[in-house]
């Protein structure tokens, strides 16, 4: 997963998960409660005096009802309005948006099929200094460089000789794929060549793939002599499933038996499966072939942007509760003062 560098919080933004809650904000709910809600009633003990009226007349006072209705102050109304606004803000679920995170997912799956039959022990390939190299050693060096450039692709590795084997299932761990390629040895899969079975195994491997672009790069230095499924049939199936095949032939096309590379079959496979056919007899040419395949099939990724969200609505509710407590304590303190001065 690739992630864009953070801007150290510079791009933080505030959004609301449920902005429709603000539609109820203009409703004068605190005013309606203040205007029409009945006053709080509380009974208190009193001393009854038989000649109270006479005392009141002597004091020049007019007796009134025993109930006292306290007026609601403006500060009480202001606090109520603040609590209402904070409650609506909390219901709107405010969220802090972090910096966007870009996630890249491979949009192409690539299978590398490598011939490790007995003929790959021949030392007829040349390095940059024109020194002879074992075919498989030259191939491993080039393929590992190719794998290192596959960042963003999922890689699967198939080796084949008398039979085909899945060395590495689809993975984005390119280092592990290269290490397993390095550990392969000539003859590990048998002395013969099973090109058709290698293609068939690649098709079964692609069954676990859900991406549209599927690519098989097959390298062989021999002729198919041991497949249960012919290369022609396997190629037809691959073409019908949209699998593109590139084939590479190394070795001597004029050899005999297992030593003869079947260039005609490799070319027919590539043509039918919409890929390309290449042939070389030296390491540099092999490197150029894989570079050409890389150019023809540039890296593909599917990009998804994810923006983390942190909910902060509870701060609004906490402020509402705090204001309510302050209002209650203020009323209690005011009542005590009135009693003390009463």
């Amino acid at each position: 997963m690739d992630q864009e560098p953070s801007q150290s919080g510079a791009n933080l933004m505030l959004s609301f998960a449920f902005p429709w809650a603000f539609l109820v904000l203009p409703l004068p709910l605190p005013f309606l409660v203040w205007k029409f809600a009945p006053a709080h009633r509380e009974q208190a003990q009193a001393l009854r005096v038989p000649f109270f009226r006479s005392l009141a007349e002597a004091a020049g006072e007019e007796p009134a009802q025993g109930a006292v209705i306290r007026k609601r102050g403006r500060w009480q109304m202001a606090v109520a309005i603040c609590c209402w606004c904070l409650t609506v803000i909390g219901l709107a679920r405010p969220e802090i948006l972090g910096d966007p995170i870009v996630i890249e997912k491979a949009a192409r799956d690539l299978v590398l099929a490598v011939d490790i039959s007995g003929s790959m022990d021949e030392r007829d390939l040349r390095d940059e200094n024109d020194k002879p190299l074992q075919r498989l050693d030259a191939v491993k060096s080039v393929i590992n460089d190719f794998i290192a450039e596959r960042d963003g692709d999922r890689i699967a590795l198939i080796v084949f000789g008398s039979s085909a084997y899945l060395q590495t299932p689809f993975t984005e761990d390119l280092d592990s794929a290269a290490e397993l390629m390095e550990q392969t040895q000539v003859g590990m899969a048998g002395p013969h060549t099973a090109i058709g079975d290698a293609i068939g195994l690649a098709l079964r491997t692609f069954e676990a793939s859900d991406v549209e672009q599927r690519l098989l790069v097959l390298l062989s230095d021999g002729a198919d002599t041991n497949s249960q499924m012919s290369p022609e049939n396997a190629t037809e199936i691959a073409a019908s499933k949209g699998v593109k095949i590139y084939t590479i032939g190394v070795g001597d096309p004029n050899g005999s038996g297992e030593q003869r590379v079947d260039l005609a079959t490799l070319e027919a496979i590539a043509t039918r499966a919409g890929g390309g056919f290449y042939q070389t007899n030296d390491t540099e040419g092999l490197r150029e072939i894989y570079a050409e395949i890389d150019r023809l099939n540039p890296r593909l990724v599917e990009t998804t942007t994810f923006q983390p969200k942190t909910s902060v609505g509870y701060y609004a509710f906490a402020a509402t509760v705090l204001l309510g407590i302050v209002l209650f304590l203020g009323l209690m303190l005011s009542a005590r003062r009135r009693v003390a001065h009463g």
Side-chain angles (χ1 to χ4, degrees):
M1 180 183 74
D2 297 333
Q3 178 172 325
E4 288 187 345
S6 173
Q7 299 294 325
S8 302
N11 296 327
L12 296 181
M13 296 184 298
L14 182 67
S15 69
F16 295 91
F18 188 62
W20 302 107
F22 286 110
L23 293 177
V24 303
L25 186 61
L27 295 179
L29 185 60
F31 174 77
L32 295 177
V33 173
W34 175 72
K35 190 70 174 177
F36 299 107
H40 173 68
R41 297 178 180 274
E42 184 175 317
Q43 291 184 349
Q45 294 182 350
L47 179 64
R48 186 171 183 177
V49 180
F51 47 88
F52 175 75
R53 184 173 294 277
S54 300
L55 290 176
E57 291 177 353
E61 299 288 341
E62 180 68 24
Q65 295 291 331
V68 176
I69 301 178
R70 299 189 182 120
K71 294 183 178 180
R72 297 182 176 93
R74 294 183 179 275
W75 67 275
Q76 293 176 257
M77 186 62 187
V79 171
I81 292 176
C82 288
C83 288
W84 171 245
C85 292
L86 289 171
T87 300
V88 173
I89 291 174
L91 292 175
R93 295 170 55 190
E95 299 173 330
I96 294 178
L97 302 180
D99 294 328
I101 297 174
V102 178
I103 302 173
E104 292 184 346
K105 178 183 176 182
R108 176 178 62 200
D109 284 341
L110 173 64
V111 174
L112 300 177
V114 181
D115 188 346
I116 60 170
S117 61
S119 57
M120 289 293 286
D121 194 37
E122 293 291 326
R123 297 178 178 271
D124 55 358
L125 292 184
R126 299 283 175 172
D127 63 10
E128 294 80 357
N129 300 318
D130 202 33
K131 292 182 179 180
L133 281 177
Q134 184 197 56
R135 291 177 183 174
L136 184 58
D137 285 341
V139 168
K140 288 193 292 186
S141 174
V142 174
I143 286 182
N144 282 345
D145 290 341
F146 181 77
I147 290 175
E149 299 295 327
R150 298 298 91 210
D151 185 29
D153 286 339
R154 292 202 312 165
I155 294 287
L157 179 62
I158 290 175
V159 294
F160 65 96
S162 300
S163 300
Y165 299 94
L166 182 62
Q167 185 84 332
T168 306
F170 281 122
T171 179
E172 294 181 9
D173 187 352
L174 303 182
D175 292 337
S176 295
E179 178 64 25
L180 289 170
M181 182 70 239
E182 187 64 32
Q183 294 175 6
T184 59
Q185 300 295 327
V186 172
M188 288 177 61
H192 306 296
T193 304
I195 296 175
D197 289 351
I199 298 174
L201 179 57
L203 295 177
R204 289 196 295 274
T205 305
F206 279 125
E207 290 178 356
S209 172
D210 57 357
V211 300
E212 292 185 5
Q213 186 170 7
R214 293 169 290 178
L215 183 65
L216 168 62
V217 180
L218 184 145
L219 181 145
S220 177
D221 72 336
D224 189 275
T225 57
N226 207 65
S227 287
Q228 297 180 11
M229 175 186 290
S230 71
E232 293 78 13
N233 289 341
T235 303
E236 287 294 332
I237 297 174
S240 67
K241 292 181 177 294
V243 176
K244 185 183 294 186
I245 303 177
Y246 286 83
T247 57
I248 304 171
V250 297
D252 185 5
N254 298 317
S256 61
E258 296 288 343
Q259 304 298 323
R260 182 183 69 85
V261 56
D262 190 352
L263 299 180
T265 297
L266 293 177
E267 184 174 8
I269 291 171
T271 301
R272 179 66 185 91
F277 164 70
Y278 305 90
Q279 190 267 334
T280 186
N281 287 314
D282 59 72
T283 304
E284 186 59 30
L286 191 60
R287 197 176 303 276
E288 291 177 358
I289 289 171
Y290 277 97
E292 175 67 13
I293 294 174
D294 185 27
R295 285 192 295 270
L296 294 174
N297 299 274
R299 176 179 180 234
L300 291 178
V301 295
E302 293 179 352
T303 302
T304 303
T305 302
F306 167 73
Q307 195 164 21
K309 300 177 181 180
T310 303
S311 178
V312 292
Y314 56 89
Y315 285 115
F317 291 124
T320 301
V321 174
L322 182 61
L323 284 176
I325 294 175
V326 171
L327 176 61
F328 175 76
L329 293 177
L331 292 175
M332 293 291 294
L333 181 60
S334 176
R336 288 181 179 274
R337 287 178 177 176
R338 282 194 296 271
V339 172
H341 293 84

